[in-house]
Structures are given as C-alpha cells and as structure tokens.
Amino acid sequence: MFNLIKSECYKALHLRSVRVMFLIVLIFGLSSGFLLKTATTMTDSLSAEDAAQLAENLEGMPVEVRMGIYTPVDQSLVRNGAVDLGDLAMADLSGGMLALFVGILSALFVSADFSCRYIINIAGHVQGKAKLVIPKLLVLTGLIFVMFLLFHGADFLSARIAFGDILYVSDGARLMQYLGLQLLLHTAFGFVIAFLCFTVRSIAFDVTAGVLLASGLVSMAYRVTDIIAKHVFHVAQPDTGVISLSRAISEVMPAADASVMQRGLIIGCVYFAAAAGLSFVVMQRRDIA
Amino acid sequence: MDYILETRALSKRYGKTRAIDTVSLHVKKGAIYGLIGRNGAGKSTLLKMIAGLARPTEGSLQLFGSEAGDKGLAFSRIGVLIEHPGLYYNMSARENLTVKLMALGIREKDAADRLLETVGLRDTGKKSVKKFSMGMQQRLGIALALAGNPDLMLLDEPINGLDPQGIAEMRQILERLNREYGITIIISSHILEELAKVATDYGILHEGRLLEELTHQELLEKGGEHIELKTGDAPAACTVLEENGIAQYKVIDKDTIRIFERLTDSGNIAMAMANGHVPLLGIQVKNESLENYFLNLTGGAAHV
C-alpha cells in the first residue's frame, strides 16, 4: 500500500494537468484580492437606492436555485472601514469557485490512469482491485489540501496588498474552524467526482460533471424532488436541497449558526464516507479494462 | 505436462453476447504461444482475463500451478501489453517506468535504465513519450510489461502499426526475452507470417471459441508447402491446371491461386500456362502454412 501511495504521489508531481490546475488556482488566488477590492469599490459607488434594490433582489432569491459560480460580494465586506479575513475567505469559498477547481482537479487526476490506460500496467499486481482506490483518494486529499493552501495563501497575500492595513482577523479560531469545515466539504466534493471517475471512466464526462456539480446543477434535481414531494406526497414545505453538498458549501460561513456548521459537518462526513465506500465497491466489482 | 497457464472452460459474457465461450487453453513453460483470431474473435478479452483485468463469467484459470483468483499473487507474475501501451504521454520513458517501479516497491536505482536498455530506449532522456514513434512506444510498453520480472508476458498485437524495421526489432526483443530470460510469451497478431517466425505453439480462436491448439511442428506436418501462382486470368489458369491433372488448388482471390501438389513442378506449370496463353505474373513455392491453415480452419479469406 505504501508503495502505491508513493507511486501516486510521484504521478501527481509529474502530471502536467495537476501542475496546470495549481498554476490556475495560484493565478486566481493572486488576482482574487484585487478583484474583491474592485468589486467593493463598485458597490461603494452605487447609489443608496440601487444598492437597496440589489440587496432586495439577492434576498428574494432562494439559495437552492442559485446556479453557476458567483462571488457574493456586497458592501458588507468593508465594515467600519475594515475587511475581515473570514469574510474574504467566505466570499471565495461560498460562491463555489474553489469547488469548481477541486472538481476539475479530481476529474483530471483520478481519470488520468483510465484515460491513458496506465492502470493496466499496475492493476494485475494488486491483490483486490479496491486497493487501488485507497492511495488514489489519499493523494487526492493531499492535492485538495495543497490547492486550499495555495489558493488561500495567494488570496490572503493579494488581499493584504489590495486592502492594505484595513485587513484584519476578527476571530482566528472561528476562521480556522470555518476553513477546516470547508476543506472537509470540498474534499467530500472531490471524492464524489472521484467516484464518478471510477464509475464512468471518461475524462470528458468526469470533467463536465465536476464543472456542472460545482455550478449547483444538482439543485435543479432537488427542486424537482421538492415539487414532487409537495404535489404528490403533500409534504407542506419540502426542502430536500438541505442535504446538498453544494448548498452546504455555500451556507457554511464563519458567522453561521452552530446548527448550520453542524449540518455542514454531517453532510461533509456522509458524502466523504459514501463516495469512498462506493468507489471501493465499483472498483472491486468492475473489470479494469 | 508442465503448463504455466491452463484455463478451464473460461467464458466471458457481456449482456447476452458471449465474447469468450468455454475456452480451455494450455501454455507450456518457456513457450511463445501465438494466439490467432479475426477481429472480434475474443483475443483481447481472453488476454485481459488471464491478466486479471477482467473477471471471467464462468470457468477458472490455473497460473503457475495454482488457482488464480483475486486474492492470489499469480497475476503479479504477469506483464501485459494489451491493445496499445498504457502510457502517460507527457512523461518521459524513465518517468513512466518509475511510476510502475515505485508501485511495485522496486528500489534499485538502475532498474529503469536496465529496462530501457533491454528495449533499446536508453538514450531517450527527457523526451516526452508523445514525441516517440509508434515503435518506440510499443517498446516502452514492453519495458513496462517487463518491470517486476514477470514469468509470463501477454502481448496483444505488439507489432500492429509498426514498419518492417520495427517489426524485426520487436521480433528480436521477444526472442531474446524468451531465450535469455526464460519468459513465456503469449502473443496475438494479425500478421501471421511474422507470428510463424517466432511462435512455438498456436491457439486458434474463432468467435470466442478455441478451435484448436497445435505446436509449430504439428502445423508444419499438417500444413505443408504450396505453389503460389499469380495470374491475370484465374479461370483460364484453373482450366490449364485441371488439364494438367492438378486438382489440389485453391483460388485465393482474382489474381492468386495456391497449388498444394507437384510442388517441385513449378517450371512445368509455368510452361503449361504459357502454352495455354494464360498471362502469368509470378510463380513461387511458399510456406505460408499458418495463414493457410487458419483460413481453412475458420472458413475463408476474411480479415484475420
């Protein structure tokens, strides 16, 4: 097992797709602070009436039907002339941008073995094909962690340059808790994409699925389920989207209630374990080639 | 008999399609076993099952004297090159080998270099595999199959798409691996003439079923030589042959006739054609017994 992990690490370090993804994330992280600065300046320049209208429009939109990647920036990012690092992290994570990168990275990394068929060189040497899943998921976890560090490191650095001294940390422990939970949710998301890769084994499908799921495509399915639950089963106020991973990513915030954080933790753990477990089953049962 | 591989009624179904149907294969230690079959005969599927990459629907296989299963170590003694080499095209040859060597826990520093040396790719340096010719990629595939010192190698169409020089190089590599390292090789190929140059045993697969197994010696005894006659008018040539008492012949296509008797009489046959005013494009004694035998067995000159 240790040998397989070493081999996966070597592969991750030498795969061009992984390097390119890290470079994109680094560039995005470095530009993020400046983009947020520009966005806050633009919202600052809005008239009071326009700002109120914008806020009203956003408030009226249910979370579960917000599809696509967005960065939730409004004037609240600059409060009392200061910018909280927690709000900054939330602005990047809750919008799903990093989830998009995680989805693509997971698809490229896990599918690589299948798309170039390198796996047939290794598979026969492993007793129990499910064992191929463990090193892959372990190294994927490491890659997502590195991506997180790289993104936030670059993001905080650019924010420090863009916002200067008004950048501060209001609650360090709370921020770490938030980032930790988001890391879990993003890793679980990466595992879901990995499960799709083990199942479908088409890099085109897997990358597309990563992009669409990060964009909240599943929210449409939850909406349909809600409509069915309401009209067929007469459930008063159905909200199946509450179990959605992408919704958890967007709802978990540094200032969120304990119940929201707790739900995020449970959803993250369940998706993490379910995706890993199903990946084992799929690899064990299906032919390698 | 000391078999390194023995399958017992091995079958593989995909839905209602039976890709492999009760195949019982026997491969002797040290053999170069040529697996012959048309496109879609089931050669790749059979090799995948032997390599442990696909699960048989029915039947079993015995590798190196013991039952092969998911829990056994037998599959780790097999090197594979199935369909085309599984390579990371943006990595170099050495990096591709290092990935596998690491996975197998092989720590010798010069292991990758030795394998590259064996297949003649030592000097490829940092050149990425996508810049390799097809022959070089196939040789790297062989090097990958050799990593871990396998006792059995499964090579599916390893000379497909290679130029004549590449084919000759591949033949030399396989002969050396078999002779010097004692590796048993199962090889499938469409190019039967090439296969006949290296194989010691044959298995003929047709529509998922193993029609026959025979040694090279048995093939020579059964097949025999023939005269290949190239003519611009096959019907007229047939008439001349029959007028000269030759009955054992076969029209292969509109220009080619194979004669299986009076093999030392090619001069007289040529003379008879000239006397009968039949245009003769060429005549020679050939020994394509493997192709001939295969075509006879499977019923016609469809694509092999």
Side-chain angles (χ1 to χ4, degrees):
Chain A
M1 182 59 69
F2 181 65
N3 293 327
L4 284 172
I5 295 168
K6 260 173 63 180
S7 171
E8 287 294 339
C9 286
Y10 182 87
K11 222 183 296 175
L13 289 172
H14 287 79
L15 276 177
R16 204 168 64 173
S17 52
V18 172
R19 289 179 190 172
V20 169
M21 279 311 297
F22 279 173
L23 184 68
I24 291 170
V25 164
L26 187 67
I27 292 168
F28 185 76
L30 285 172
S31 58
S32 180
F34 297 103
L35 289 172
L36 287 172
K37 169 79 175 170
T38 311
T40 49
T41 310
M42 280 170 69
T43 47
D44 278 347
S45 63
L46 284 175
S47 67
E49 277 179 20
D50 288 343
Q53 184 65 48
L54 186 67
E56 198 179 307
N57 288 346
L58 273 174
E59 270 185 29
M61 189 185 290
V63 173
E64 66 270 26
V65 293
R66 279 185 202 168
M67 280 179 63
I69 308 298
Y70 64 96
T71 303
V73 180
D74 54 28
Q75 285 159 307
S76 64
L77 195 61
V78 184
R79 263 179 272 162
N80 303 323
V83 176
D84 186 1
L85 208 57
D87 290 341
L88 196 76
M90 185 202 76
D92 290 323
L93 290 173
S94 299
M97 185 56 85
L98 201 60
L100 176 74
F101 291 137
V102 165
I104 297 172
L105 174 80
S106 306
L108 291 175
F109 178 66
V110 179
S111 287
D113 268 357
F114 296 107
S115 62
C116 75
R117 304 178 74 250
Y118 195 92
I119 194 154
I120 63 171
N121 296 313
I122 309 277
H125 295 268
V126 181
Q127 289 180 59
K129 303 294 168 274
K131 282 187 186 165
L132 291 165
V133 173
I134 300 169
K136 190 70 86 183
L137 293 184
L138 274 175
V139 176
L140 178 62
T141 306
L143 287 176
I144 294 171
F145 181 69
V146 172
M147 187 181 250
F148 235 71
L149 285 182
L150 205 62
F151 177 75
H152 288 297
D155 184 25
F156 294 161
L157 178 72
S158 67
R160 179 75 179 83
I161 297 166
F163 291 102
D165 291 336
I166 64 167
L167 195 68
Y168 77 110
V169 181
S170 63
D171 188 340
R174 188 90 180 153
L175 176 63
M176 292 312 290
Q177 191 185 25
Y178 167 71
L179 287 177
L181 188 48
Q182 281 289 3
L183 179 61
L184 171 71
L185 289 167
H186 279 76
T187 308
F189 181 66
F191 276 30
V192 170
I193 302 301
F195 162 65
L196 290 176
C197 295
F198 287 123
T199 310
V200 181
R201 299 177 187 179
S202 153
I203 200 157
F205 174 88
D206 298 331
V207 172
T208 309
V211 172
L212 292 177
L213 291 179
S215 311
L217 179 81
V218 191
S219 62
M220 295 298 286
Y222 288 121
R223 290 291 291 173
V224 172
T225 314
D226 286 348
I227 291 166
I228 293 168
K230 190 172 184 176
H231 295 288
V232 179
F233 300 104
H234 308 293
V235 180
Q237 281 186 315
D239 186 12
T240 50
V242 77
I243 58 163
S244 151
L245 193 54
S246 51
R247 183 159 152 191
I249 288 172
S250 66
E251 280 186 352
V252 166
M253 296 175 187
D257 292 343
S259 63
V260 174
M261 300 294 264
Q262 214 168 35
R263 195 172 66 221
L265 182 68
I266 293 167
I267 288 173
C269 290
V270 168
Y271 274 93
F272 184 93
L278 288 170
S279 298
F280 291 140
V281 174
V282 165
M283 277 300 275
Q284 189 61 42
R285 291 196 170 181
R286 286 192 59 189
D287 291 342
I288 294 290
Chain B
M1 185 65 76
D2 189 14
Y3 293 124
I4 203 166
L5 163 70
E6 204 178 345
T7 70
R8 295 191 200 101
L10 209 59
S11 299
K12 179 76 179 175
R13 268 199 309 266
Y14 294 106
K16 285 180 180 173
T17 310
R18 203 177 259 268
I20 292 292
D21 192 359
T22 54
V23 167
S24 296
L25 202 72
H26 304 83
V27 181
K28 288 179 288 226
K29 194 172 188 299
I32 298 181
Y33 190 101
L35 196 59
I36 308 164
R38 297 177 185 186
N39 285 332
K43 302 185 296 289
S44 300
T45 307
L46 179 60
L47 292 179
K48 282 174 192 170
M49 284 195 287
I50 295 169
L53 301 173
R55 206 186 291 267
T57 314
E58 289 156 35
S60 63
L61 61 136
Q62 197 170 43
L63 277 163
F64 313 108
S66 57
E67 285 298 314
D70 216 22
K71 299 273 184 275
L73 283 166
F75 294 126
S76 64
R77 293 171 64 186
I78 300 176
V80 294
L81 170 55
I82 293 180
E83 284 163 350
H84 55 84
L87 303 170
Y88 281 110
Y89 289 88
N90 285 316
M91 291 187 192
S92 68
R94 185 171 283 99
E95 285 168 344
N96 266 283
L97 277 168
T98 306
V99 172
K100 182 165 180 185
L101 292 169
M102 274 187 166
L104 301 185
I106 296 168
R107 291 182 181 81
E108 293 138 64
K109 278 185 180 169
D110 62 340
D113 287 335
R114 273 192 288 113
L115 288 167
L116 289 173
E117 180 88 58
T118 306
V119 295
L121 292 174
R122 180 76 187 253
D123 301 323
T124 50
K126 290 182 178 173
K127 190 176 174 182
S128 64
V129 168
K130 69 177 170 206
K131 292 177 184 155
F132 281 19
S133 67
M134 190 176 273
M136 289 165 80
Q137 289 179 0
Q138 291 286 47
R139 280 189 276 155
L140 180 57
I142 298 270
L144 275 163
L146 279 172
N149 299 320
D151 295 305
L152 173 63
M153 280 179 78
L154 309 178
L155 309 174
D156 188 16
E157 306 285 358
I159 53 177
N160 237 11
L162 299 189
D163 57 23
Q165 193 188 337
I167 291 174
E169 284 172 1
M170 185 63 78
R171 187 172 64 237
Q172 285 163 10
I173 290 171
L174 298 183
E175 282 173 337
R176 196 149 55 87
L177 293 175
N178 179 252
R179 195 177 53 243
E180 293 178 16
Y181 299 88
I183 299 173
T184 306
I185 298 170
I186 301 179
I187 177 171
S188 78
S189 177
H190 281 74
I191 309 169
L192 302 187
E193 207 175 334
E194 274 305 317
L195 202 57
K197 287 178 186 168
V198 291
T200 57
D201 298 79
Y202 303 98
I204 298 172
L205 204 61
H206 186 61
E207 293 174 351
R209 298 182 74 94
L210 186 68
L211 297 184
E212 190 173 1
E213 284 186 301
L214 70 168
T215 65
H216 188 68
Q217 190 55 40
E218 285 168 342
L219 180 72
L220 286 178
E221 286 163 12
K222 283 187 177 184
E225 291 175 317
H226 65 268
I227 294 170
E228 189 166 288
L229 191 143
K230 292 274 183 189
T231 172
D233 188 352
C238 292
T239 310
V240 171
L241 289 176
E242 283 167 18
E243 281 170 1
N244 284 272
I246 297 173
Q248 289 180 45
Y249 68 86
K250 187 172 183 179
V251 179
I252 301 301
D253 55 45
K254 64 182 175 59
D255 301 321
T256 314
I257 298 171
R258 284 183 187 163
I259 303 160
F260 302 98
E261 59 181 307
R262 289 166 58 183
L263 299 178
T264 55
D265 230 3
S266 56
N268 288 335
I269 293 172
M271 190 76 79
M273 292 294 157
N275 291 339
H277 305 291
V278 176
L280 189 64
L281 307 174
I283 184 163
Q284 64 181 129
V285 178
K286 276 198 161 182
N287 191 354
E288 288 180 351
S289 51
L290 177 58
E291 183 182 342
N292 201 30
Y293 191 78
F294 173 78
L295 293 176
N296 283 331
L297 198 66
T298 57
H303 289 291
V304 175

